Amino acid sequence: MNDSPAVSILVPIYKVEKYLSRCIESVLAQDFTDWELILVDDGSPDRCPEICDEYAQKYERIRVVHKENGGLVSARQSGFSISTGRYILHVDSDDWLMPNALSSLFHYAEQGQYDIVRGCNRRVGDDGGFTIERGRFFKGEVLGSEEYLEKVIIADFEPYLWGALYRRDLFRKETFEPILHVSTGEDWLTNIAIGNRVKKVLCVEDVVYNYFINSNSMMQQQVCSFEYADRVKGILEEITAQASAHIKHLVACNRIAAYINCLFIPELPFSRTHFHKVKSFISENGNEEDVRKLLDVKFMKFIHIPVLFFLYSRLYCFLFKYIKLKGNKRKVLI
């Protein structure tokens, strides 16, 4: 291809042999055709590399990157580094697009000169049943990096990279560097990392994406440890170093909320160190109310009475383990 396409579609690929063709075919079926598809084989040990090559040999607009396994963020970075489109669309390899996804998102982006246009998604289960996620998050315009960052951090804006069209120059290759070794929450962190360049966002009702809920996937079986929450805190502080005091305060509140959530994860021991960090932070004027907005309020019960909070959190963990998890343990990320 001599001319750069309007849209570069980036698909990181690892152990999705069963679903990969569905994803690729959904791109080929788009009613908008000014695109390139970059398939990033992240050292997949199954037939995914062969499937990628087969499609690339058949279709000129499909390119393949084969690399050693480095994780999702590394794969996205590799795909971005060779992309040429004016816009970027991230697609997870076990998901697929609605037929008018590109035409819908591109129309809005060009018409309103938006940096990001985000549509709605269908959440599809193993049995093919689905629900449409429309009402959970903000819809409409977001103006300015401050409002955008606030909405992402307080979870009033979708945390995903998929399901949205991004102006290419929001990203840099180095955007991905601080997040390379993150294995959950990486989409959310990337959206924050580009925040200072975001000026205008539109969230629309159009359903553009199918998010596959695989009950056997890694994401359904893992939880974050206190150590992981601390690592994310360090990354957040790095990528928001130039942000306003208000955004830095919201980041601090978010991490306190993460610590509180960890105190109710049955796979984790009770951390007195992190509980004291929570108590110290929420004792400051106004902090408790801001933290309450970021998590399930039942986790704040007895927060000012250490003995009762300890007993309450341990009872919750016991009941959750044997009623919800049926005694099973999930993988703990460190």
Side-chain angles (χ1 to χ4, degrees):
M1 293 183 298
N2 297 322
D3 298 325
S4 296
V7 180
S8 294
I9 304 165
L10 309 185
V11 182
I13 296 163
Y14 186 75
K15 293 177 72 172
V16 287
E17 178 182 336
K18 184 177 178 181
Y19 310 110
L20 181 55
S21 289
R22 179 179 65 184
C23 176
I24 296 172
E25 291 292 340
S26 78
V27 176
L28 293 170
Q30 291 296 301
D31 59 5
F32 177 93
T33 59
D34 192 7
W35 51 261
E36 66 174 353
L37 174 59
I38 300 175
L39 304 173
V40 184
D41 160 35
D42 191 34
S44 189
D46 54 9
R47 282 201 68 252
C48 284
E50 289 82 1
I51 294 171
C52 291
D53 289 339
E54 288 168 6
Y55 274 101
Q57 289 169 9
K58 192 173 180 181
Y59 298 98
E60 183 184 21
R61 289 178 293 166
I62 297 179
R63 292 195 282 163
V64 179
V65 176
H66 295 291
K67 61 183 288 296
E68 291 185 3
N69 180 251
L72 177 60
V73 179
S74 171
R76 284 177 175 154
Q77 184 184 51
S78 295
F80 174 77
S81 67
I82 69 163
S83 65
T84 59
R86 288 188 286 122
Y87 294 94
I88 299 292
L89 184 77
H90 296 276
V91 180
D92 287 355
S93 50
D94 53 354
D95 300 337
W96 67 103
L97 299 174
M98 298 296 282
N100 64 340
L102 289 178
S103 59
S104 175
L105 295 173
F106 184 79
H107 168 75
Y108 287 117
E110 290 287 284
Q111 186 180 56
Q113 295 299 296
Y114 290 103
D115 299 319
I116 304 171
V117 179
R118 177 169 294 283
C120 293
N121 67 82
R122 300 195 315 169
R123 305 180 80 82
V124 186
D126 292 325
D127 60 358
F130 65 86
T131 58
I132 296 177
E133 187 174 80
R134 270 203 176 100
R136 184 179 167 198
F137 295 105
F138 173 85
K139 293 294 178 290
E141 277 192 337
V142 178
L143 301 177
S145 60
E146 187 85 356
E147 183 182 4
Y148 167 79
L149 281 168
E150 177 177 323
K151 286 190 176 298
V152 175
I153 294 168
I154 68 173
D156 193 26
F157 190 83
E158 284 92 336
Y160 339 112
L161 283 179
W162 48 260
L165 195 66
Y166 290 81
R167 185 165 48 81
R168 175 190 175 77
D169 58 12
L170 293 176
F171 299 91
R172 309 281 189 274
K173 187 176 180 181
E174 56 269 23
T175 300
F176 302 95
E177 293 292 337
I179 311 165
L180 280 173
H181 303 294
V182 173
S183 55
T184 189
E186 61 272 31
D187 284 20
W188 180 68
L189 288 167
T190 306
N191 272 310
I192 293 172
I194 65 173
N196 66 333
R197 290 187 285 275
V198 174
K199 299 296 184 288
K200 194 176 180 184
V201 180
L202 181 67
C203 303
V204 299
E205 296 282 352
D206 303 39
V207 178
V208 299
Y209 195 91
N210 293 282
Y211 172 73
F212 181 55
I213 303 172
N214 183 353
S215 59
N216 296 318
S217 74
M218 180 181 67
M219 286 300 295
Q220 306 300 318
Q221 303 172 31
Q222 64 186 21
V223 292
C224 297
S225 65
F226 290 104
E227 293 83 359
Y228 195 88
D230 284 335
R231 280 209 296 125
V232 171
K233 179 177 182 289
I235 294 169
L236 280 168
E237 289 173 349
E238 177 181 349
I239 63 181
T240 60
Q242 305 304 315
S244 68
H246 173 62
I247 295 302
K248 290 178 179 178
H249 171 71
L250 291 179
V251 166
C253 290
N254 177 279
R255 288 301 84 198
I256 292 299
Y259 292 155
I260 295 172
N261 280 320
C262 285
L263 292 167
F264 288 86
I265 293 176
E267 289 85 357
L268 304 180
F270 189 88
S271 171
R272 286 182 168 79
T273 298
H274 288 88
F275 176 72
H276 288 311
K277 289 180 180 179
V278 169
K279 281 280 283 125
S280 175
F281 185 83
I282 66 174
S283 66
E284 297 179 23
N285 291 337
N287 285 351
E288 181 173 349
E289 188 59 35
D290 289 339
V291 172
R292 282 182 179 274
K293 297 174 184 176
L294 299 177
L295 80 170
D296 191 327
V297 292
K298 69 174 175 285
F299 294 155
M300 296 289 285
K301 286 184 179 179
F302 312 117
I303 195 76
H304 295 291
I305 311 173
V307 173
L308 285 181
F309 182 83
F310 172 79
L311 294 173
Y312 171 61
S313 64
R314 293 302 90 190
L315 175 62
Y316 178 95
C317 287
F318 178 83
L319 294 175
F320 189 89
K321 178 179 180 180
Y322 290 103
I323 296 175
K324 184 72 172 178
L325 299 178
K326 298 181 173 27
N328 296 314
K329 286 188 177 182
R330 298 162 294 181
K331 178 182 178 181
V332 177
L333 298 177
I334 299 176

